[in-house]
Amino acid sequence: MLSRRGVIRLGAVAAGAAALPGTAAIGRRGRAWADVTAPPPFSVPLSVPETAVPVRRTATTDYYDMTIRDGAAEILPGVSTPIMGYEGRFPGPTIRAEAGRRVVVRQTNAMTHETVVHLHGGLVAPGQDGHPADAIAPGADRRYVYGNRQPAATLWYHDHSHHMEAEMVFRGLAGFYLLGDRRERRLGLPSGRYDVPLMLRDARFDEQGRLLFEMDDFRYRNTLLVNGRPQPYLRVAGRKYRLRLLNGSNERYFTLRLGEGDGDAMTVIASDGGLLPAPVTAASVTLSPAERVDVVVDFARYRPGTRVVLHNTDGTDDATTSVMRFDVGHRVPDFSRVPERLGRAHDLGEAVATRDIAMNLDLSTGRFVIDGRTFDMDRVDMRIKRGETEIWRVHNRDVQPSVPHNFHVHGTHFQVLDRNGRPVTGHEAGRKDTVAVPIGGDVRLKVRFDRYLGRYLYHCHLLDHSSMGMMAQAEVIA
Ligand code: C2O
Ligand code: CU
Ligand code: CU
């Protein structure tokens, strides 16, 4: 049995004692800087998660069956690492959905402990959203119905178990859910093999190559993975690619810069919730945990043979500043394009109310709290009327000690107005479901729930924080 109270009590300190079955012994090692020799950067090829195949298709619906189970993955070359995975894989299979067509996923829990599946960024009914109260018991299954009534976007699915999401996502329970639509296809953006999802995250391994999870252990998670491979390389043709970047880390931020010097321009085309109204050129993009950004990069501007490194300028050493490398090949014909107009503007209109939401580490208890309280799934923390726009001012009060937080809302896409009073730009001006909240500062969001009544979570998506209580729920009322 898992000890949920243990996780909370241990708070910001290591919670090895609360580790999942079969992993308890791993959490007790000393905090050596590097427990395993990672391969030299850019020595393993990138892999792209396989696409899930429906077991059945009807005129309206694609049906999938997935089993959530313990498995093994070759993350470090030649090393078999125990993981938890959808279909036993890390990352899980990619679900490709089409707006207007339903997706029904039957998830069977073949693990020895509970799990629950959340579609991050999906506008789904509360009962399909993967609320921690709707856990799938070991041996049981649950059908998730996703209506896909929202614009094309890079979404992802991951575990959301009560107090355990940090460890379970860390151990592999995450996959892409790529939603397309007609409008997007008509634009002529790079597609097919030139549309590459990239799940960026960090990990920590012990000397035997097992994932080593300790709560809030971000300093020691120093191996960067892309789609489950350490600092890989990808051979690309000399043409345009769409790169769908997801920060799948529990706690690490990425500031991504392509190439050397000030960075080679990337064309930002989409944020969490889908296409921006117009492309934006950027030399770097910052992603806090769970954020997505889609960029188009034209590798035709490099001479064949050029090696272009994707850097993380938030990194502190070689292991954490080099994310992956693109090895540019010959030019090929390229009929894709990035039009001047992309998606619809996301304007939530006049707000009728404002509220403040405060996030902090409560130093007297060692707990991560929202408005002074840890998550209680039986408590409703706010009520909001369906169809009414509100301004939420979200504060990060953790100046001393300084702790980064971000803010994620289920069941809707919000509009970020400003951060510390300054308007946001680039991908942050698009449809968002997750946003960074600066230390000692605030972000203001326009939020509106348009569709379903019921309870939706909001929380810090530094998953170790949410697992330790930094989560709350809103009830959407008529
Ligand atoms: Cu990525 Cu509450 O979710
Ligand atoms: Cu979510
Ligand atoms: Cu946080």
Side-chain angles (χ1 to χ4, degrees):
M1 208 33 223
L2 310 179
S3 166
R4 285 177 174 147
R5 287 186 187 280
V7 181
I8 292 298
R9 203 172 42 239
L10 287 163
V13 201
L20 289 158
T23 61
I26 303 170
R28 298 177 187 274
R29 291 181 195 283
R31 296 191 154 196
W33 180 83
D35 298 296
V36 78
T37 338
F42 322 128
S43 55
V44 303
L46 177 84
S47 52
V48 175
E50 66 179 73
T51 298
V53 181
V55 290
R56 194 156 65 88
R57 304 184 60 130
T58 66
T60 58
T61 308
D62 296 338
Y63 294 87
Y64 294 89
D65 276 349
M66 279 200 199
T67 303
I68 309 170
R69 54 184 161 83
D70 299 321
E74 186 181 340
I75 299 173
L76 306 170
V79 179
S80 173
T81 295
I83 54 109
M84 291 175 197
Y86 298 101
E87 295 290 277
R89 292 170 183 272
F90 166 61
T94 298
I95 295 177
R96 290 179 187 270
E98 173 70 14
R101 270 185 76 73
R102 278 197 326 165
V103 163
V104 176
V105 188
R106 189 166 65 106
Q107 294 279 10
T108 302
N109 180 6
M111 302 185 295
T112 53
H113 48 84
E114 290 181 344
T115 181
V116 63
V117 186
H118 169 55
L119 177 59
H120 182 123
L123 305 185
V124 305
Q128 312 297 330
D129 195 46
H131 192 282
D134 295 329
I136 313 171
D141 64 8
R142 187 181 177 98
R143 268 167 40 110
Y144 292 93
V145 180
Y146 305 133
N148 298 316
R149 293 193 296 129
Q150 63 185 86
T154 300
L155 311 179
W156 61 305
Y157 62 100
H158 64 77
D159 177 81
H160 221 301
S161 298
H162 192 41
H163 290 324
M164 298 305 295
E165 68 270 23
E167 178 166 0
M168 287 166 70
V169 171
F170 186 84
R171 294 195 181 284
L173 286 174
F176 277 105
Y177 186 104
L178 306 182
L179 177 61
D181 66 14
R182 280 233 307 282
R183 179 192 178 96
E184 182 185 72
R185 258 193 315 280
R186 277 200 302 259
L187 297 175
L189 297 165
S191 62
R193 52 194 288 235
Y194 305 112
D195 174 356
V196 186
L198 299 171
M199 182 188 288
L200 317 181
R201 56 163 283 182
D202 57 13
R204 182 186 183 189
F205 296 90
D206 71 6
E207 64 276 9
Q208 290 169 55
R210 292 175 298 194
L211 286 164
L212 202 166
F213 179 82
E214 289 183 22
M215 194 58 93
D216 213 19
D217 183 34
F218 57 91
R219 283 182 202 82
Y220 300 93
R221 297 171 185 163
N222 287 335
T223 304
L224 296 191
L225 307 177
V226 183
N227 294 344
R229 307 296 339 254
Q231 298 175 298
Y233 68 87
L234 175 67
R235 293 209 171 90
V236 291
R239 57 154 289 154
K240 288 191 281 305
Y241 280 71
R242 176 181 188 165
L243 306 175
R244 300 178 186 251
L245 302 160
L246 156 68
N247 183 350
S249 299
N250 280 29
E251 303 201 276
R252 178 180 294 278
Y253 286 50
F254 285 94
T255 293
L256 299 166
R257 206 193 57 197
L258 196 63
E260 306 310 315
D262 293 338
D264 302 342
M266 299 181 276
T267 305
V268 180
I269 58 166
S271 59
D272 301 336
L275 292 168
L276 302 175
V280 183
T281 302
S284 70
V285 285
T286 297
L287 293 178
S288 70
E291 287 188 275
R292 288 88 70 207
V293 65
D294 293 14
V295 300
V296 172
V297 175
D298 192 353
F299 291 104
R301 69 185 168 197
Y302 302 106
R303 282 219 319 276
T306 307
R307 295 168 154 188
V308 188
V309 174
L310 182 66
H311 297 278
N312 169 32
T313 60
D314 286 347
T316 45
D317 55 23
D318 225 38
T320 53
T321 51
S322 300
V323 179
M324 67 176 289
R325 193 180 71 193
F326 298 96
D327 295 354
V328 181
H330 290 291
R331 259 190 216 196
V332 299
D334 181 2
F335 302 103
S336 70
R337 54 192 205 105
V338 181
E340 277 314 304
R341 295 172 62 87
L342 298 169
R344 292 200 177 82
H346 188 50
D347 181 357
L348 295 176
E350 282 296 301
V352 299
T354 300
R355 48 179 116 210
D356 289 276
I357 296 171
M359 313 173 89
N360 68 285
L361 169 61
D362 182 336
L363 290 173
S364 60
T365 60
R367 296 177 176 204
F368 284 92
V369 296
I370 293 183
D371 294 329
R373 304 191 287 196
T374 57
F375 180 58
D376 176 347
M377 63 169 119
D378 298 319
R379 183 187 69 222
V380 169
D381 297 280
M382 75 157 81
R383 294 196 163 74
I384 178 168
K385 273 200 157 175
R386 175 165 62 188
E388 281 191 359
T389 300
E390 296 191 349
I391 292 175
W392 294 3
R393 186 191 290 269
V394 186
H395 305 264
N396 174 347
R397 304 256 194 239
D398 283 325
V399 181
Q400 203 54 261
S402 64
V403 187
H405 299 296
N406 72 5
F407 189 72
H408 168 51
V409 186
H410 287 217
T412 189
H413 291 132
F414 51 72
Q415 188 186 341
V416 186
L417 295 177
D418 47 40
R419 174 180 287 113
N420 293 342
R422 281 187 303 278
V424 295
T425 57
H427 73 103
E428 292 198 298
R431 300 170 68 99
K432 292 287 290 169
D433 58 49
T434 308
V435 65
V437 189
I439 291 161
D442 62 65
V443 289
R444 286 196 316 143
L445 323 170
K446 269 189 184 172
V447 184
R448 189 175 75 202
F449 292 87
D450 283 324
R451 212 164 287 170
Y452 304 101
L453 302 180
R455 296 181 183 186
Y456 288 106
L457 301 173
Y458 55 96
H459 58 89
C460 179
H461 216 293
L462 278 67
L463 288 180
D464 299 51
H465 298 179
S466 60
S467 281
M468 290 189 287
M470 193 170 254
M471 182 151 71
Q473 56 189 339
E475 180 165 13
V476 182
I477 56 174

